[in-house]
Amino acid sequence: MPTQLPPAHPFDDDKLREECGVFGVVGVADAANFVALGLHALQHRGQEAGGIVTHDAKTGFNQARRMGLVRDNFTSADTMQILPGSIGIGHVRYSTAGVKGQTAIRDVQPFFGEFSMGGAAIAHNGNITNAMQLRRELIERGSIFQSSSDSECIIHLMARSMGRNIPDRMEEALRKVEGAFSIVAMTRTKLLGCRDPLGVRPLVLGKVGDGWALASETCAFDIIGADFVREIEPGEMVVITAENGVESHFPFRPNRARFCIFEHVYFSRPDSILGGRSVYETRENIGRELAKEAPVDADLVCPVPDSGTPAAIGYSLESGIPYAMGIIRNQYMGRTFIEPTEQIRNMGVRLKLNVNRALIKGKRVILVDDSVVRGTTSQKIKEMILDAGAKEVHFRIASPPTAWPCFYGVDTPQREKLLAATMSEDEMRGHLGVDSLKFITLDGLYRAVGEAGGRDSNAPAYCDACFSGEYPVAPSDMIEQGFQAKTAAE
């Protein structure tokens, strides 16, 4: 049986989860230490497991893959000593493809392969939408898979390529892949980075001393003292060496970029930069737009911590209603309740959130959250606020209703388990039992991220499939399994 490891907070299953973060560095002494720090900054993108691969001239390729958090696994001197070298890559993950919630050590990236011209390791952020089809074809041709991860397909495709070198082989492999991929890979001397033609998931380039770094987010550069250089462009592949720096080319057919808009709403850390914009400022703008679209007469604006905080500040600033920390998060819950009893499960939200009673009592409260997925957490928070003596509870949600699953690297429930897939906004308000419930509109969200004219329905600037049901890449594996895509009537 594979080792089962619950998420960092066993009661956070009412949130969408980005499934992983990637980081790589070349041209620095003790690369593994830089990678560990970078992964620590990206821990919010994946908390089930992590891994690091390095290369050293004397010892060759070295790897360590562990279950759990970076701080628990990649801070000991003993572990870091087995990872020498001046080039390294790393990965933190949640399980999306593969067995969800049942991460086995064999599924933990980076994946490593030994080819005729040398070894290579690869770390993948995203989801391959034709992985099942590729896996079947590869197995029929003799490939032996070691994991349940869709990312392993890339290694097998590289092994079958006739490319002259590893970058050529990776390029050929990725041409056969559909879906979303931001990849950091390495050979003995080269650090590779690549984004899919739509650029669904983020990937950024940084300069650290005489070396270079690649990461899922710019916040990972801050922790190692690296300078953010630029984003890797959609459809771009970079090959980086300590001697020659960055070589760039575009191996895929050009396509109109469709970056994931939910990165702006929730996934990325607020201190990161996306598309030249501060994530924090964008979330504050979302709150301002929400206040314009859905005003309500109330006494306090309170965030659902921590993801709702910037939007709540924006709502307060635009509406003039005072901002207050009406809910306090217990930052030290960690993994205390590895096997929660039923009684503890029923108290779940109270284990991590507590209401500031003196502030809430007798007040009309606006609660600002980033999203509503199943609605279970929203119900419990509402009950806590009313138990504390609130006069009214109004929910304002900093994203449109999440009515469709994501197939590009986000752990989303099946469609029938998404509250917005089965209920109207008014029905959701009744189900949650609040005085009012309003979501930002899709046009409002686009305005908040810098699209002044709102969403162009003929050519959307972002991937917003979780809200609109319009998938920029057909989820072929899921359709094969019976998933019903959006019809014209919807």
Side-chain angles (χ1 to χ4, degrees), residues 194-276:
C194 190
R195 283 178 84 187
D196 68 80
L198 299 180
V200 177
R201 307 252 72 86
L203 189 64
V204 291
L205 174 69
K207 191 82 173 69
V208 51
D210 294 328
W212 298 87
L214 292 167
S216 292
E217 293 182 43
T218 61
C219 64
F221 295 155
D222 298 334
I223 198 171
I224 64 168
D227 294 322
F228 170 50
V229 176
R230 64 177 179 86
E231 295 187 2
I232 302 302
E233 295 294 323
E236 181 183 13
M237 183 172 177
V238 292
V239 180
I240 310 171
T241 60
E243 297 77 24
N244 300 323
V246 182
E247 299 174 6
S248 166
H249 65 288
F250 291 81
F252 310 109
R253 185 179 299 167
N255 211 324
R256 186 167 43 82
R258 296 287 296 275
F259 183 61
C260 170
I261 201 166
F262 214 82
E263 290 279 356
H264 287 288
V265 174
Y266 176 66
F267 297 139
S268 295
R269 261 180 39 172
D271 50 337
S272 285
I273 305 294
L274 289 177

Side-chain angles (χ1 to χ4, degrees), residues 21-189:
V22 294
F23 188 89
V25 69
V26 65
V28 298
D30 299 320
N33 290 323
F34 284 85
V35 176
L37 287 168
L39 294 181
H40 182 76
L42 298 172
Q43 189 76 85
H44 60 288
R45 299 184 77 89
Q47 298 177 29
E48 285 183 356
I52 296 175
V53 174
T54 64
H55 183 272
D56 177 71
K58 293 181 180 178
T59 61
F61 284 95
N62 312 278
Q63 60 180 321
R65 296 187 287 174
R66 303 284 190 270
M67 309 303 294
L69 302 176
V70 175
R71 72 181 183 215
D72 297 330
N73 291 306
F74 296 104
T75 52
S76 75
D78 289 345
T79 300
M80 303 316 287
Q81 280 174 2
I82 68 170
L83 296 167
S86 61
I87 181 171
I89 65 172
H91 187 273
V92 287
R93 94 185 287 265
Y94 277 126
S95 51
T96 52
V99 185
K100 296 184 182 181
Q102 298 263 326
T103 300
I105 198 69
R106 63 194 174 96
D107 293 325
V108 179
Q109 298 185 42
F111 291 133
F112 177 78
E114 194 73 60
F115 306 107
S116 58
M117 69 284 292
I122 186 168
H124 168 217
N125 176 19
N127 211 52
I128 299 171
T129 55
N130 65 335
M132 287 169 52
Q133 174 193 330
L134 289 172
R135 193 181 184 96
R136 281 197 305 267
E137 292 173 0
L138 287 162
I139 289 172
E140 286 170 5
R141 294 175 187 173
S143 291
I144 300 172
F145 279 76
Q146 300 296 316
S147 78
S148 63
S149 171
D150 62 331
S151 309
E152 192 183 351
C153 289
I154 300 169
I155 286 284
H156 288 282
L157 289 169
M158 288 171 66
R160 293 186 169 275
S161 165
M162 300 303 290
R164 295 168 302 145
N165 54 46
I166 287 171
D168 286 349
R169 289 189 171 209
M170 191 170 88
E171 184 179 307
E172 184 179 327
L174 293 176
R175 285 203 187 97
K176 298 175 183 176
V177 164
E178 297 172 6
F181 54 84
S182 281
I183 284 171
V184 170
M186 63 175 281
T187 68
R188 288 169 291 187
T189 58

Side-chain angles (χ1 to χ4, degrees), residues 181-398:
F181 54 84
S182 281
I183 284 171
V184 170
M186 63 175 281
T187 68
R188 288 169 291 187
T189 58
K190 296 181 175 73
L191 179 66
L192 313 175
C194 190
R195 283 178 84 187
D196 68 80
L198 299 180
V200 177
R201 307 252 72 86
L203 189 64
V204 291
L205 174 69
K207 191 82 173 69
V208 51
D210 294 328
W212 298 87
L214 292 167
S216 292
E217 293 182 43
T218 61
C219 64
F221 295 155
D222 298 334
I223 198 171
I224 64 168
D227 294 322
F228 170 50
V229 176
R230 64 177 179 86
E231 295 187 2
I232 302 302
E233 295 294 323
E236 181 183 13
M237 183 172 177
V238 292
V239 180
I240 310 171
T241 60
E243 297 77 24
N244 300 323
V246 182
E247 299 174 6
S248 166
H249 65 288
F250 291 81
F252 310 109
R253 185 179 299 167
N255 211 324
R256 186 167 43 82
R258 296 287 296 275
F259 183 61
C260 170
I261 201 166
F262 214 82
E263 290 279 356
H264 287 288
V265 174
Y266 176 66
F267 297 139
S268 295
R269 261 180 39 172
D271 50 337
S272 285
I273 305 294
L274 289 177
R277 299 173 59 86
S278 157
V279 174
Y280 177 90
E281 290 178 6
T282 296
R283 290 178 187 166
E284 187 182 293
N285 287 342
I286 292 171
R288 288 180 180 272
E289 195 68 36
L290 190 52
K292 294 174 188 174
E293 290 187 346
V296 62
D297 193 16
D299 303 306
L300 295 175
V301 178
C302 300
V304 176
D306 294 313
S307 54
T309 300
I313 291 170
Y315 194 103
S316 171
L317 290 170
E318 185 66 32
S319 66
I321 300 171
Y323 169 89
M325 294 293 288
I327 303 173
I328 307 301
R329 186 179 184 103
N330 174 12
Q331 302 290 349
Y332 303 99
M333 179 177 165
R335 297 182 180 272
T336 305
F337 298 98
I338 292 297
E339 296 290 344
T341 64
E342 188 61 32
Q343 182 182 12
I344 288 173
R345 281 192 186 280
N346 291 335
M347 298 174 1
V349 173
R350 295 178 188 270
L351 288 168
K352 61 179 180 177
L353 300 175
N354 192 40
V355 176
N356 192 342
R357 288 177 173 269
L359 193 67
I360 292 296
K361 188 174 181 180
K363 301 293 199 318
R364 299 167 299 169
V365 180
I366 301 169
L367 291 176
V368 180
D369 203 355
D370 61 271
S371 59
V372 172
V373 181
R374 293 183 179 90
T376 52
T377 300
S378 300
Q379 275 186 316
K380 291 173 182 175
I381 290 172
K382 177 266 301 184
E383 290 165 5
M384 290 166 60
I385 293 289
L386 289 176
D387 288 348
K391 190 176 179 181
E392 296 174 6
V393 179
H394 303 271
F395 263 111
R396 292 297 179 266
I397 311 301

